[in-house]
């Protein structure tokens, strides 16, 4: 069971990995970083990717149809579209497993980590488009997310 540093080390061992981070998407803070940052500053990148992760995790457009999730209502009773509550009661994380953003020079893969507390953490991999293997990276991030120990 890898911790934050070991997880980042394994991510950076992937072919084409340029940078990686473990980010709390509710606060936008990086819990750990490795390698390069797309804009030269890991904290700024963490904040920017957290915005994207938060939108995907909270908006009903990205939630599956059916009984797995339902929109959260505002206290006033109106629909907010600002959150997802698990209807199944299994305590799992957001309905989105991962996000892939493609740029001209690379891929950004965000993989949500299910935790026993609030599941507000994701892995962010910045992968070179020419030398990286997107399918392998996605599978490896899935495996790491399942084994990651946050202490």
């Amino acid at each position: 069971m890898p911790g934050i540093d070991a997880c980042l080390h394994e991510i950076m061992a992937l072919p084409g990995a340029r940078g990686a981070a473990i980010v709390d998407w509710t606060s936008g803070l990086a819990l750990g970083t490795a390698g390069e940052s797309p804009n030269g500053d890991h904290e700024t990148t963490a904040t920017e990717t957290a915005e994207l992760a938060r939108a995907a995790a909270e908006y009903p457009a990205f939630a599956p149809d059916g009984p797995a999730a339902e929109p959260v209502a505002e206290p006033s009773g109106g629909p907010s579209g600002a959150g997802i509550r698990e209807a199944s009661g299994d305590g799992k994380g957001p309905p989105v497993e991962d996000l892939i953003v493609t740029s001209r020079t690379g891929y950004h893969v965000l993989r949500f980590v299910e935790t026993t507390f609030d599941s507000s953490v994701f892995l962010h991999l910045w992968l070179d488009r020419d030398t990286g293997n997107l399918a392998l990276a996605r599978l490896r991030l899935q495996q790491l997310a399942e084994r990651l120990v946050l202490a």
Side-chain angles (χ1 to χ4, degrees):
M1 297 275 185
I4 291 173
D5 291 336
C7 182
L8 289 170
H9 181 73
E10 286 188 45
I11 292 172
M12 290 305 296
L14 289 168
R18 298 197 57 194
I22 298 176
V23 180
D24 180 324
W25 57 268
T26 57
S27 67
L29 295 175
L31 304 176
T33 61
E36 303 173 53
S37 174
N39 61 9
D41 179 25
H42 282 289
E43 291 303 322
T44 301
T45 301
T47 302
E48 291 171 352
T49 56
E51 295 272 338
L52 180 62
R54 189 172 23 258
E58 292 181 345
Y59 290 120
F62 298 107
D65 292 330
E70 62 186 56
V72 174
E74 289 181 10
S76 63
S80 69
I84 295 293
R85 176 179 54 234
E86 298 297 319
S88 63
D90 63 1
K92 300 280 181 169
V96 176
E97 291 180 2
D98 55 28
L99 300 170
I100 300 170
V101 177
T102 305
S103 70
R104 290 190 174 117
T105 60
Y107 302 105
H108 294 268
V109 184
L110 281 61
R111 176 70 190 195
F112 288 89
V113 178
E114 293 179 4
T115 61
T116 55
F117 43 101
D118 62 0
S119 294
S120 65
V121 175
F122 65 90
L123 305 174
H124 172 215
L125 167 63
W126 178 31
L127 190 65
D128 185 78
R129 191 170 180 156
D130 292 331
T131 60
N133 182 328
L134 183 58
L136 174 65
R138 187 171 174 264
L139 290 172
R140 211 46 80 72
L141 286 179
Q142 177 185 6
Q143 293 167 353
L144 285 169
E146 291 170 357
R147 296 184 356 232
L148 177 65
V149 174
L150 298 171

